[in-house]
Amino acid sequence: EHPDTISSINNLANCMQEQGHFLIAEPMYRQALELRQRVLGLEHSKTINSMNNLANCIKTQGHYSVAEPMYLEALELSQRVLGLENPGCITSINNLAVCIESMGRYSVAEPMYRQALELRQHILGQEHPDTITSINNLAHCIKEQGLYSVAEPMYHQALELSQRVLGLEHPDTIVAINNLAVCIEA
């Protein structure tokens, strides 16, 4: 139950998830969350992080309705414990929006994406990689609603920022190129 041991379990779960081994990662995330709740308490930032990690793993497996309440709890805790302007809290807003969008509930996800973007622009700045991700996420949500002419300039902005901040060969820049191309093709 040492915090370093719990961090190691969490980090190993991250590694397993990155390799696509979700069925191995999920119980490890559950273990890390359970231990952090017991050792650090429910309202500790690392516990909230573990909750987000487990929800991400579950969402990635397509179990959106199981992940959504975890994301919602993580967001509520983040707002109460960390404050709305904490980057971890903003990530919780974004994560919940991604989950909701994945279920096709675009009108619910869009204002959350807008909130995350506005907060990231204000706190992290326009050229922070997380802000660029928020621009892409909002553009995607808008595109999925068939509003291509609204989404396209946002994709252009995300691509321009990605190229300038991250470079031409960065994976996020390549994703931004693809996102813009798909939008233009539609």
Side-chain angles (χ1 to χ4, degrees):
E1 293 191 3
H2 191 277
D4 290 346
T5 303
I6 301 169
S7 290
S8 292
I9 293 168
N10 185 72
N11 293 343
L12 184 56
N14 282 338
C15 184
M16 291 291 105
Q17 182 173 334
E18 287 295 315
Q19 295 176 49
H21 302 297
F22 306 111
L23 297 178
I24 296 170
E26 184 179 337
M28 296 173 88
Y29 280 133
R30 286 188 188 282
Q31 181 184 16
L33 174 58
E34 182 182 303
L35 288 167
R36 282 184 167 160
Q37 285 174 328
R38 188 168 59 240
V39 173
L40 302 173
L42 185 61
E43 295 190 344
H44 192 280
S45 62
K46 287 186 177 183
T47 304
I48 298 167
N49 185 53
S50 285
M51 199 174 296
N52 262 314
N53 288 345
L54 176 58
N56 275 332
C57 185
I58 291 169
K59 178 199 57 102
T60 304
Q61 296 174 70
H63 305 296
Y64 308 118
S65 61
V66 177
E68 183 181 2
M70 287 183 198
Y71 281 130
L72 191 55
E73 184 179 4
L75 175 56
E76 289 169 355
L77 287 166
S78 291
Q79 286 176 326
R80 187 169 64 244
V81 174
L82 305 173
L84 187 59
E85 293 191 347
N86 180 282
C89 185
I90 301 168
T91 296
S92 290
I93 295 168
N94 182 75
N95 289 348
L96 179 58
V98 169
C99 183
I100 289 171
E101 180 187 5
S102 297
M103 293 185 282
R105 295 170 30 214
Y106 306 113
S107 63
V108 177
E110 184 181 338
M112 297 175 88
Y113 280 134
R114 287 189 186 283
Q115 181 184 24
L117 175 58
E118 288 171 12
L119 287 166
R120 283 178 168 165
Q121 286 171 326
H122 172 71
I123 292 153
L124 303 175
Q126 185 70 16
E127 295 191 347
H128 191 281
D130 289 348
T131 304
I132 299 167
T133 296
S134 283
I135 295 167
N136 252 318
N137 289 349
L138 178 58
H140 183 268
C141 185
I142 290 170
K143 177 190 68 87
E144 289 300 305
Q145 296 174 72
L147 303 171
Y148 305 107
S149 63
V150 178
E152 186 178 333
M154 296 178 80
Y155 279 132
H156 276 287
Q157 179 187 20
L159 175 57
E160 179 186 313
L161 288 166
S162 289
Q163 287 174 329
R164 187 169 61 244
V165 174
L166 304 172
L168 288 171
E169 295 182 13
H170 191 279
D172 289 353
T173 303
I174 295 166
V175 167
I177 292 167
N178 184 64
N179 288 346
L180 176 58
V182 168
C183 183
I184 291 170
E185 257 183 16

